[in-house]
Amino acid sequence: MSQFYFLAHKRLDDLIITLKTQGFKVKAPIVDDHAIVYDDIEKAAELPWGYVDEQKPAHYHVKKTNENKAFAWSLPVQSVKPMLFKEKEALWQVKRDDSGKLIFEQALNKQKYAVLGVRPCDLRAIEIQDRVFIENAYQDVRYKARREAMFIIAANCTSCHSNCFCVSLGDSPYADKGFEWAMTEINGGFVIESGSDKGRSLIEQLQLNPATGAQTYEAEQRVKAVYAMQEKSIPPLEKVEKALFANLDHPQWDDVAKRCLSCGSCTQSCPTCFCHTEKEAPDLEGQVSTHLREWDSCFGLDHSYTHGELYREEPKHRYRQWLTHKFSTWREQFRTKGCVGCGRCITWCPVSIDVTDEINILCQEKQNKQEKQEKKA
């Protein structure tokens, strides 16, 4: 049985100072340009105290309330992904020495991050990306190095926005694994659960007292309340997988193509998408060239360019590729689902395409076909 501890709000600075003395750069959500985003912090006062976020299809808004909580909001604009899988980074560089010989130098970023306030859906997204970059046949040394150096302090959800649908995926507003600490904010502070030896060591360093029964009960009730808050849902994933493959020529793909801009906002905001491209960046003098990797999107035309042909030229084919991979073939490829139900793709789609609506339409069509077959039988 887990032992729970209590960290008062006024001791958050002690936590930040302790992490910094251990060599970590502390990342946490802050309010910047009317949005809740991850950034470097030096003190607890920089956290989004009292701020809440409102998210709907193609809508995002934050506002200040009088609630004395640092984590009253539901989800940052972006996940932890950019800290592990950089939007753009140098993989290696080649240059000529004085004798004209080519010298290759590998670039490795060894920055240690302690990330404060990772929501359970983003924690599960890290686990999914671990499957892609570490546990797959190919290991990405840069991702692995950053992942192993990361200290994760999860924040259980005590609220959600209207685009969340993690519960229908079989997940929950609780952080279940993959963290050093998991904390639940209540009045006056946080109920803390450790999830690793590093987490237990930090509790000892801060000399935290055990949480009272009343504190753990309040924390439990706050998280349990989130189950009833989620409005969006999709059918069980097994049903979704079958429906997507049974409806590859469904007219709904044409319908969504009329609305989709192929802008890639859904893939850029998604915490699990991993498509990328690599390119050379030579200097003007021709003496040094840097090999770069940067994010790409399956919605881009160049992404499907192979041997002189574009094999997903139409928007409906690109959207179908994204949806079927995310909710079907991803499981076969990486032994896990490709979505965590964070709803960012819904929030940041400029034309309000709702992935849960699209899935439910396709699944309903599959159900109608089955009902007709049963009647004939």
Side-chain angles (χ1 to χ4, degrees), residues 200-223:
R200 285 182 282 275
S201 176
L202 183 59
I203 287 174
E204 293 174 359
Q205 291 175 61
L206 293 171
Q207 298 181 335
L208 299 184
N209 293 322
T212 66
Q215 288 169 335
T216 56
Y217 178 78
E218 181 185 350
E220 182 181 17
Q221 294 307 305
R222 284 180 179 272
V223 181

Side-chain angles (χ1 to χ4, degrees), residues 7 19 53 67 72 83 94 105 136 154 188 205 217 220 223 251 253 261 300 331 349 367:
L7 176 75
L19 290 169
D53 56 330
E67 193 170 14
M83 301 177 213
V94 58
E105 297 177 351
N136 202 25
Q205 291 175 61
Y217 178 78
E220 182 181 17
V223 181
W253 300 119
L261 304 177
R331 186 187 296 273
C349 176
Q367 181 177 332

Side-chain angles (χ1 to χ4, degrees), residues 51-292:
Y51 279 90
V52 296
D53 56 330
E54 179 184 85
Q55 300 191 40
K56 299 176 183 178
H59 174 82
Y60 176 89
H61 177 69
V62 297
K63 63 180 181 180
K64 185 78 163 63
T65 70
N66 294 324
E67 193 170 14
N68 186 34
K69 288 188 171 59
F71 297 93
W73 45 271
S74 56
L75 202 63
V77 168
Q78 202 154 42
S79 68
V80 180
K81 182 172 79 170
M83 301 177 213
L84 293 168
F85 172 34
K86 299 290 186 180
E87 298 103 317
K88 184 175 183 178
E89 69 175 322
L91 301 187
W92 45 263
Q93 193 175 75
V94 58
K95 63 179 93 172
R96 292 188 184 277
D97 63 13
D98 295 337
S99 65
K101 183 180 179 181
L102 293 177
I103 304 297
F104 289 83
E105 297 177 351
Q106 182 175 230
L108 271 178
N109 183 349
K110 298 182 179 179
Q111 178 64 55
K112 292 170 57 179
Y113 289 124
V115 191
L116 183 62
V118 181
R119 291 303 192 195
C121 58
D122 286 340
L123 194 63
R124 295 182 187 105
I126 294 173
E127 181 184 4
I128 291 172
Q129 292 241 306
D130 286 351
R131 293 282 185 95
V132 175
F133 287 111
I134 299 178
E135 299 170 21
N136 202 25
Y138 162 75
Q139 280 198 350
D140 186 279
V141 294
R142 290 159 189 83
Y143 179 96
K144 185 178 181 182
R146 288 190 283 258
R147 180 72 179 90
E148 291 174 347
M150 182 171 280
F151 190 102
I152 295 177
I153 297 180
N156 291 322
C157 295
T158 55
S159 67
C160 68
H161 60 78
S162 65
N163 292 335
C164 292
F165 61 99
C166 71
V167 172
S168 69
L169 290 171
D171 295 328
S172 81
Y174 285 99
D176 52 3
K177 59 182 176 179
F179 55 82
E180 274 61 59
W181 273 16
M183 60 187 192
T184 306
E185 189 167 22
I186 62 173
N187 291 323
F190 305 88
V191 172
I192 305 293
E193 176 187 9
S194 66
S196 70
D197 290 338
K198 290 187 292 185
R200 285 182 282 275
S201 176
L202 183 59
I203 287 174
E204 293 174 359
Q205 291 175 61
L206 293 171
Q207 298 181 335
L208 299 184
N209 293 322
T212 66
Q215 288 169 335
T216 56
Y217 178 78
E218 181 185 350
E220 182 181 17
Q221 294 307 305
R222 284 180 179 272
V223 181
K224 279 185 175 180
V226 177
Y227 284 93
M229 295 179 188
Q230 292 197 9
E231 301 171 359
K232 293 187 183 296
S233 65
I234 63 172
L237 283 174
E238 292 77 10
K239 180 178 180 180
V240 173
E241 290 178 6
K242 293 178 181 178
L244 290 175
F245 274 103
N247 291 295
L248 293 177
D249 296 316
H250 194 283
Q252 189 62 22
W253 300 119
D254 292 301
D255 182 83
V256 74
K258 293 176 183 177
R259 293 170 281 141
C260 180
L261 304 177
S262 293
C263 64
S265 283
C266 50
T267 59
Q268 298 300 295
S269 61
C270 177
T272 67
C273 281
F274 59 88
C275 286
H276 57 272
T277 187
E278 297 185 13
K279 58 181 66 175
E280 304 300 327
D283 70 354
L284 294 177
E285 296 180 355
Q287 297 300 309
V288 179
S289 184
T290 303
H291 188 78
L292 300 173

